[in-house]
Amino acid sequence: EEIDNLKSTFKTLKPLYKTLESEKSKIVNIELIRGYNQHRVSKFMELFRQAKHEILFMIKLELQVSEELDNTAKEFFARGGVIKSIYETDSEFKVKKGETWTTGTMEDLINVTTKFESYGEKVMLSKVRVPNMTIFDRETVFMNINDKTIPKHNEADIIVKNKDYALNMVQVFESYWNTSLTIKDFKKEISKKPVKIK
């Protein structure tokens, strides 16, 4: 009889517990993505497509120009969106030429960022290290926790959906923006060095 009562009680409690849990899950504002995988790319693209007004990037240029991102960016610009980006000018960035990854040159950096600018992106180049971070509509922050001492598959990304935190990160972005160089000024600066620039 006691076991039957216990089973009956659990039948009653379980739906109530599930309701409370589902309500709590709606207010979770931090998401951790473990590992360097396709899931992180799809989450980033989902946030990109959902953006309405403004996207602020700070990034070390390591990947090829993605055609999908270009098309998404064009659609975003067509809706009146603004994209401002700060790219780190570290000489160890990688670019994909054909099917091969090669160490990028300053010429590659200028050519790629000039292409981004031609789409409508506002671009600045930073000589100091920048965090890999994107701020969507001053409400959501996507950060890559980059650690060279661990394998890429153990890296992590964090998505924070919190307006106050996002506004704090906007101030970080603006401090880097104000100390970075335009592509034109960067060209002038490195033209003093023996580097071929288009």
Side-chain angles (χ1 to χ4, degrees), residues 121-183:
E121 197 173 310
K122 296 176 182 179
V123 174
M124 296 292 272
L125 301 174
S126 174
K127 293 191 293 179
V128 298
R129 295 186 64 158
V130 299
N132 278 340
M133 178 168 66
T134 307
I135 306 162
F136 299 92
D137 291 329
R138 300 183 178 227
E139 292 180 354
T140 303
V141 180
F142 185 104
M143 288 184 295
N144 172 248
I145 309 303
N146 194 346
D147 187 345
K148 297 294 183 188
T149 64
I150 62 172
K152 262 200 182 297
H153 64 272
N154 285 335
E155 286 185 8
D157 295 311
I158 299 172
I159 299 171
V160 181
K161 294 181 178 180
N162 179 286
K163 193 170 183 178
D164 289 337
Y165 179 76
L167 291 174
N168 288 339
M169 293 303 101
V170 169
Q171 290 183 341
V172 172
F173 178 90
E174 288 173 351
S175 69
Y176 277 93
W177 183 268
N178 293 334
T179 57
S180 297
L181 298 170
T182 64
I183 296 173

Side-chain angles (χ1 to χ4, degrees), residues 62-64 94-104 108:
E62 293 180 304
L63 304 176
Q64 73 181 104
K94 300 284 184 182
V95 290
K96 195 170 187 180
K97 297 179 180 180
E99 293 301 312
T100 308
W101 286 99
T102 59
T103 300
D108 291 324

Side-chain angles (χ1 to χ4, degrees), residues 5 8-9 16 32 34 45-46 67 81 96 98 104 115 124 128-129 157 170 183 186:
N5 285 338
S8 173
T9 303
L16 292 173
L32 176 66
R34 295 293 303 268
M45 291 307 298
E46 180 185 326
E67 197 172 301
K96 195 170 187 180
K115 184 176 180 183
M124 296 292 272
V128 298
R129 295 186 64 158
D157 295 311
V170 169
I183 296 173
F186 184 71

